[in-house]
Amino acid sequence: MSFVAYRNAAQDRSDETIAELASDFFAMIRSRRSTRDFSERPVPRAVIESCIAAAGRAPCGANQQAWHFVAVADPETKREIRLAAEAEEREFYERRATQQWLDTLAPLGTNSEKPFLEKAPWLIAIFSRTHGFDEEGNVIKHYYPTESIGIATGFLIAALHQCGLATLTHTPSPMKFLSEILGRPGNERCFLLLVVGHASEDAEVPDIKKKPLSEIATFR
């Protein structure tokens, strides 16, 4: 493997500038909230392409890039996904979930109805590849695929929020129906379904709080 010199275009910035940029990013990202209320206002494909390309720059195990993003705007496909997701969600709420789990979800007001899966202009199904194949068809193990796809998803959500778009991480369980509807191969497993678009004018979100820095970080 060959190597090239590392060069970050911003690496020569002063400490003061770095601190200001860090503060600006925090101010931007702290306004991010998940919403289930989307408008039908379209989002240009070019925006989604750039944000997915940013996600593809995430660090990953052995640089195997064990991910695939399926961006769906087709109304019929979104309708099919909604119907399949709601069927799984009804099973979850009526049979699979424990009462403790349901009690935890209750304050958020969630249920088995998922109209946002049709109304939002884009759904991005994020798949993790458990393994790949060489030119001769031999299996190539992928290392840390779950960790890698989690980092890439974080990049994607941050990029979309930077554009002013709303997102919702949706994880119907099981999600095998997404592989079937979207025609993905057997070596891929859906990690989550990201709902993307503009929030509706009357969108509301639960009044929840995030833990302060003192509770989530330790400095030594």
Side-chain angles (χ1 to χ4, degrees), residues 38-186:
F38 290 85
S39 77
E40 295 179 342
R41 177 183 168 187
V43 173
R45 173 172 167 168
V47 174
I48 303 301
E49 289 179 346
S50 293
C51 290
I52 292 177
R57 304 299 297 181
C60 53
N63 194 38
Q64 291 175 315
Q65 302 170 65
W67 46 57
H68 191 85
F69 303 84
V70 181
V72 180
D74 176 63
E76 292 185 4
T77 306
K78 290 194 294 181
R79 173 68 174 170
E80 189 175 1
I81 289 173
R82 176 187 176 179
L83 293 176
E86 289 183 338
E88 294 294 352
E89 291 290 279
R90 284 192 293 273
E91 283 291 315
F92 169 80
Y93 281 95
E94 295 172 10
R95 297 178 180 83
R96 296 192 189 120
T98 64
Q99 189 58 50
Q100 184 178 27
W101 196 345
L102 293 174
D103 291 343
T104 301
L105 290 174
L108 301 179
T110 61
N111 57 48
S112 61
E113 299 300 312
K114 310 297 177 185
F116 49 78
L117 294 176
E118 281 191 274
K119 192 169 186 179
W122 290 95
L123 303 178
I124 303 177
I126 304 170
F127 290 88
S128 173
R129 289 179 175 164
T130 57
H131 59 275
F133 302 94
D134 63 18
E135 295 179 355
E136 298 178 352
N138 299 310
V139 173
I140 299 175
K141 178 179 172 58
H142 282 167
Y143 298 96
Y144 305 108
T146 302
E147 293 85 349
S148 299
I149 197 69
I151 297 170
T153 300
F155 273 39
L156 178 57
I157 292 172
L160 292 164
H161 181 70
Q162 173 70 28
C163 297
L165 296 174
T167 57
L168 174 68
T169 53
H170 182 49
T171 53
S173 179
M175 291 192 282
K176 186 177 180 180
F177 69 87
L178 285 168
S179 297
E180 296 171 351
I181 292 173
L182 301 175
R184 299 313 304 164

